[in-house]
Amino acid sequence: MASSTPLLKDELDIVIPTIRNLDFLEQWRPFFQPYHLIIVQDGDPSKVINVPQGFDYELYNRNDINRILGPKASCISFKDSACRCFGYMVSKKKYIFTIDDDCFVAKDPSGKEINALEQHIKNILSPSTPFFFNTLYDPFRQGADFVRGYPFSLREGVPTAVSHGLWLNIPDYDAPTQLVKPLERNTRYVDAVMTIPKGTLFPMCGMNLCFNRELIGPVMYFGLMGDGQPIGRYDDMWAGWCTKVICDHLGLGVKTGLPYIWHSKASNPFVNLKKEYKGIYWQEELIPFFQSATLTKECTTPQQCYIELAKQVKAKLGKVDEYFSKLADAMVTWIEAWDEINSTDSSTAAVANGAKK
Amino acid sequence: MASSTPLLKDELDIVIPTIRNLDFLEQWRPFFQPYHLIIVQDGDPSKVINVPQGFDYELYNRNDINRILGPKASCISFKDSACRCFGYMVSKKKYIFTIDDDCFVAKDPSGKEINALEQHIKNILSPSTPFFFNTLYDPFRQGADFVRGYPFSLREGVPTAVSHGLWLNIPDYDAPTQLVKPLERNTRYVDAVMTIPKGTLFPMCGMNLCFNRELIGPVMYFGLMGDGQPIGRYDDMWAGWCTKVICDHLGLGVKTGLPYIWHSKASNPFVNLKKEYKGIYWQEELIPFFQSATLTKECTTPQQCYIELAKQVKAKLGKVDEYFSKLADAMVTWIEAWDEINSTDSSTAAVANGAKK
């Protein structure tokens, strides 16, 4: 797949949430420069974010988000990397790759720098196999196949909606685990990509994530986190649980494994504990909710699925805490905003383009 | 875990089905010699199988099986490696490791010889996590843990019943894939162990397999294959599908991944095609059957589960082919024989010990 034209060059946007100068892009330049970036600036909108020369980008700060979405901007989180999902909404591309600004280029065991984006694209362009486990991992990789006993009727697989990448160095641990194992580093390079089976939930991390926006963009909502909210650091988890349930319903695949990025620094576990505190006990009720959530056959688009799921969130999780009623409302607002921004109406498109640099 | 006393030395038997001299054991000597071997000789019982000096073993040929089981010997396959399950039945140990005689010691990427048995034991002695996917694979391995978003209530895991190992060099492909890719070799060393999620079936290969005989031994029946049967090479698949359904029901875990063995030679794809032919189309009906199979709450032992499953096989798969009615009867016979051999009655134990060398 090494070609002179970068894969999906005009069909993929890179979404980066940030509060600082994007010096980390220097290391990614050989891999990211051909692509368009959507930068979502969090925090103080008057701060100027410096983007290294030569990158093609558009940047949105809180003022832009408020201007473009009006009252519906309430569904976009502030002072939390959950704000990144605004970038998914205003993209006009088929695929999104999103990465955190503390993630750098990792090396494979041979010492070669890993083009994470290229691996994500390979993952997302090849089918997934959610209905039966293949013991040699992704059967579509070079040198692998379906093993003996894999039903032939399932070998075509299904379209892949999500490619979830991993992290060397600082693992994505919760605050309690960070506190217990402050020195643990992930040094194990596992050379595998696999489909997460149908009916199985997983913890989706937003640090190094690619998805097909056309197939499931509208459900990649990162929820209400950070400023004014009782919770943080569950934005990607929330999106992952919703996305997996809806992918299972729509017959789409979710892959995890390669590519690795180098996660440079552990966030403060004491700060994290405060953000996660309610999530840690709420999730004990959220997981059974998502494990048993089913959608009606009438839900055939991601939007329909998401609205249906929002109703169930309100009805069933509203009892856990009033936060979930608010979140359910925000899920609906998000879909309304998504459809507005992504209508074929050219004036809306013009608004969305207002921030283009 | 490197200790002077080999792990589980008096609690594990190594079961080897064979038709030839066991020269392959020479390479395994440093790892296997401390353990007791149960050799199940297939084919002509008058042939003398040579076992390298220094190994502690008992050997059973067809005459022994017929003598020990009497009419119930009909449930043990002949001229097929499915006969290995007789070894599971006559073992008195808590754990079984089974390996084919064309499997040799593999090397890890650093060139170190892999003690496959030691890795299996590590897998089987640490819990499984079938209810939620951990993106950093087995959380109980050194240097790994549960990632952010993994529910704390699920972190104790469940007992591991099966450890399914993989193969470098010749992958375990079916005949059609062997024919299409005669030169494909598995060279990818994936440094991972993972739990196969609840509700997900997998193709269990009997080449390099360890299990807790106390937890699920009675369901590790390798079916009716080979001589006088319409099918071959589905013995381990059958056992795997039954075992996974029953492990899911009983709340037990199944792991796959490490360790690798070196699989030395591909079997003849034309011969395999003949053996597999009916299995290839039957499996299209078997998979939906196993995917939807549920057991009643009254089934709390592996024996009860297996008898219940045998009834469902007869009722639902008997329609696919009369072979499955015969197989369902054999499943019941197998359990009767298992219980007889494994009763505390000392005379039975004496019979089973009759073949000890």
Side-chain angles (χ1 to χ4, degrees):
Chain A
M1 276 181 116
S3 61
S4 47
T5 307
L7 287 163
L8 301 180
K9 187 183 119 39
D10 299 317
E11 294 181 78
L12 181 144
D13 282 337
I14 300 176
V15 172
I16 303 164
T18 194
I19 52 168
R20 59 177 78 90
N21 294 334
L22 292 178
D23 305 329
F24 91 113
L25 285 172
E26 282 301 348
Q27 213 188 60
W28 288 106
R29 191 182 287 277
F31 305 135
F32 290 178
Q33 191 158 326
Y35 296 88
H36 181 69
L37 311 181
I38 298 178
I39 298 160
V40 184
Q41 177 179 350
D42 199 18
D44 181 5
S46 70
K47 188 176 168 186
V48 176
I49 298 284
N50 182 34
V51 181
Q53 287 253 313
F55 283 93
D56 170 48
Y57 70 98
E58 55 195 301
L59 183 150
Y60 300 89
N61 63 29
R62 191 69 207 181
N63 293 338
D64 298 318
I65 295 171
N66 289 341
R67 177 175 49 78
I68 292 167
L69 293 185
K72 296 197 180 73
S74 62
C75 73
I76 304 296
S77 298
F78 187 46
K79 296 191 178 168
D80 191 286
S81 71
C83 69
R84 77 175 81 208
C85 64
F86 179 77
Y88 312 157
M89 186 188 271
V90 297
S91 167
K92 300 291 166 214
K93 305 288 174 57
K94 186 171 176 184
Y95 301 96
I96 296 286
F97 171 54
T98 184
I99 184 168
D100 280 5
D101 64 7
D102 63 348
C103 293
F104 293 87
V105 178
K107 289 179 178 171
D108 71 18
S110 76
K112 195 182 160 214
E113 296 203 325
I114 299 165
N115 184 344
L117 181 49
E118 185 185 49
Q119 178 67 47
H120 274 300
I121 291 170
K122 285 182 187 177
N123 295 349
I124 209 128
L125 292 182
S126 63
S128 289
T129 52
F131 305 120
F132 199 87
F133 192 90
N134 194 48
T135 51
L136 287 184
Y137 311 101
D138 189 341
F140 299 104
R141 276 186 88 190
Q142 183 91 37
D145 211 313
F146 294 97
V147 301
R148 181 170 57 93
Y150 203 103
F152 283 83
S153 61
L154 297 176
R155 295 192 185 195
E156 287 200 23
V158 302
T160 301
V162 177
S163 167
H164 176 262
L166 301 174
W167 344 274
L168 289 173
N169 195 37
I170 307 288
D172 188 30
Y173 287 163
D174 48 63
T177 308
Q178 281 185 294
L179 288 164
V180 171
K181 292 178 155 183
L183 299 180
E184 188 149 292
R185 298 294 177 265
N186 186 24
T187 59
R188 183 175 292 131
Y189 181 93
V190 175
D191 185 14
V193 178
M194 77 194 61
T195 298
I196 300 174
K198 184 177 178 181
T200 302
L201 294 174
F202 77 114
M204 187 180 82
C205 171
M207 243 191 285
N208 171 25
L209 181 70
C210 186
F211 61 90
N212 183 321
R213 189 178 166 277
E214 216 167 85
L215 289 176
I216 46 92
V219 315
M220 272 286 177
Y221 175 48
F222 272 43
L224 293 175
M225 304 282 149
D227 194 51
Q229 307 301 339
I231 185 176
R233 281 172 60 84
Y234 272 87
D235 52 340
D236 41 7
M237 296 301 138
W238 182 261
W241 296 327
C242 294
T243 298
K244 187 59 167 57
V245 165
I246 291 171
C247 282
D248 284 350
H249 175 77
L250 293 174
L252 302 171
V254 175
K255 290 185 181 183
T256 185
L258 301 183
Y260 286 94
I261 52 80
W262 180 264
H263 187 206
S264 63
K265 62 173 202 296
S267 45
N268 184 316
F270 301 99
V271 173
N272 290 347
L273 189 59
K274 195 177 165 192
K275 291 178 181 174
E276 290 172 12
Y277 168 60
K278 284 173 189 271
I280 284 172
Y281 67 88
W282 283 342
Q283 82 188 352
E284 300 296 339
E285 308 216 36
L286 301 182
I287 298 307
F289 165 77
F290 283 109
Q291 281 175 334
S292 63
T294 52
L295 302 168
T296 59
K297 279 185 184 168
E298 286 67 42
C299 299
T300 56
T301 68
Q303 279 93 333
Q304 288 167 345
C305 292
Y306 204 64
I307 293 291
E308 169 67 24
L309 193 59
K311 277 184 203 155
Q312 297 183 19
V313 167
K314 188 155 214 163
K316 295 191 181 164
L317 297 179
K319 291 178 237 164
V320 174
D321 193 278
E322 61 176 11
Y323 166 73
F324 292 100
S325 291
K326 228 172 78 180
L327 179 53
D329 290 339
M331 290 167 75
V332 175
T333 304
W334 158 265
I335 292 292
E336 290 169 355
W338 180 284
D339 285 344
E340 202 174 296
I341 295 284
N342 288 282
S343 72
T344 47
D345 186 74
S346 55
S347 64
T348 315
V351 171
N353 285 328
K356 224 154 223 165
K357 305 292 172 216
Chain B
M1 277 180 115
S3 61
S4 48
T5 305
L7 288 162
L8 302 181
K9 184 181 122 35
D10 299 317
E11 294 181 78
L12 181 142
D13 282 336
I14 300 176
V15 172
I16 304 164
T18 194
I19 51 167
R20 60 176 78 93
N21 293 334
L22 292 178
D23 305 330
F24 91 112
L25 284 172
E26 282 301 346
Q27 214 187 57
W28 287 106
R29 191 181 285 279
F31 306 134
F32 290 177
Q33 191 160 334
Y35 296 88
H36 180 68
L37 312 181
I38 298 178
I39 298 160
V40 184
Q41 177 180 348
D42 200 17
D44 179 6
S46 70
K47 189 176 166 183
V48 176
I49 298 283
N50 183 32
V51 181
Q53 287 253 315
F55 284 94
D56 170 48
Y57 70 96
E58 55 196 297
L59 183 150
Y60 299 90
N61 62 28
R62 191 69 208 181
N63 293 339
D64 298 318
I65 295 171
N66 288 341
R67 178 175 49 79
I68 293 166
L69 293 185
K72 295 198 180 74
S74 62
C75 74
I76 304 297
S77 298
F78 187 45
K79 295 192 180 169
D80 191 285
S81 71
C83 67
R84 77 175 81 207
C85 64
F86 179 76
Y88 312 158
M89 186 188 270
V90 297
S91 166
K92 301 289 165 215
K93 306 288 174 58
K94 186 172 176 183
Y95 301 96
I96 296 286
F97 171 53
T98 185
I99 185 168
D100 281 5
D101 63 7
D102 62 347
C103 292
F104 293 87
V105 178
K107 290 179 176 171
D108 72 15
S110 76
K112 195 181 158 212
E113 295 204 323
I114 299 164
N115 184 345
L117 181 50
E118 185 184 49
Q119 179 67 49
H120 274 300
I121 291 171
K122 285 181 187 178
N123 295 349
I124 209 127
L125 292 182
S126 64
S128 289
T129 53
F131 306 121
F132 198 86
F133 191 92
N134 193 49
T135 51
L136 287 185
Y137 311 101
D138 189 341
F140 299 104
R141 276 185 87 189
Q142 182 91 37
D145 211 314
F146 293 96
V147 301
R148 180 171 57 92
Y150 203 103
F152 282 83
S153 61
L154 297 178
R155 294 192 187 195
E156 288 201 22
V158 302
T160 301
V162 178
S163 167
H164 177 262
L166 301 175
W167 342 275
L168 289 173
N169 194 39
I170 306 289
D172 188 30
Y173 287 163
D174 49 62
T177 308
Q178 281 186 294
L179 288 165
V180 170
K181 292 177 155 184
L183 299 179
E184 188 149 290
R185 297 294 176 265
N186 186 25
T187 58
R188 184 175 290 129
Y189 181 93
V190 175
D191 186 13
V193 178
M194 76 193 60
T195 298
I196 300 175
K198 185 178 177 180
T200 301
L201 294 174
F202 78 115
M204 187 180 83
C205 171
M207 242 190 290
N208 171 23
L209 181 71
C210 185
F211 59 91
N212 184 321
R213 189 177 165 278
E214 215 167 87
L215 289 176
I216 46 92
V219 316
M220 272 286 177
Y221 175 47
F222 272 42
L224 293 174
M225 303 282 148
D227 193 51
Q229 307 301 339
I231 184 176
R233 281 170 61 83
Y234 271 87
D235 52 339
D236 42 7
M237 297 300 138
W238 182 261
W241 297 328
C242 294
T243 297
K244 186 59 167 56
V245 165
I246 291 170
C247 282
D248 284 350
H249 175 78
L250 293 175
L252 302 170
V254 175
K255 290 185 179 181
T256 184
L258 301 183
Y260 286 94
I261 51 80
W262 179 265
H263 186 207
S264 63
K265 63 171 202 294
S267 44
N268 185 316
F270 300 99
V271 173
N272 290 347
L273 190 58
K274 194 177 165 191
K275 291 178 181 174
E276 289 173 11
Y277 169 61
K278 283 171 189 273
I280 284 172
Y281 68 86
W282 282 344
Q283 84 187 349
E284 299 297 338
E285 307 214 39
L286 301 182
I287 297 307
F289 165 77
F290 283 108
Q291 282 176 333
S292 63
T294 54
L295 302 169
T296 59
K297 278 185 184 168
E298 286 67 42
C299 299
T300 56
T301 68
Q303 277 94 333
Q304 288 166 346
C305 292
Y306 203 64
I307 293 291
E308 170 67 25
L309 194 59
K311 277 183 202 153
Q312 296 183 21
V313 166
K314 187 154 214 163
K316 295 190 181 164
L317 296 179
K319 290 178 237 162
V320 174
D321 193 280
E322 63 175 10
Y323 166 72
F324 292 100
S325 291
K326 228 170 80 180
L327 178 53
D329 291 338
M331 291 166 75
V332 175
T333 304
W334 158 264
I335 292 292
E336 289 169 355
W338 180 284
D339 285 343
E340 201 175 296
I341 295 285
N342 289 281
S343 72
T344 46
D345 186 74
S346 56
S347 65
T348 315
V351 171
N353 284 328
K356 224 155 223 165
K357 306 291 164 192

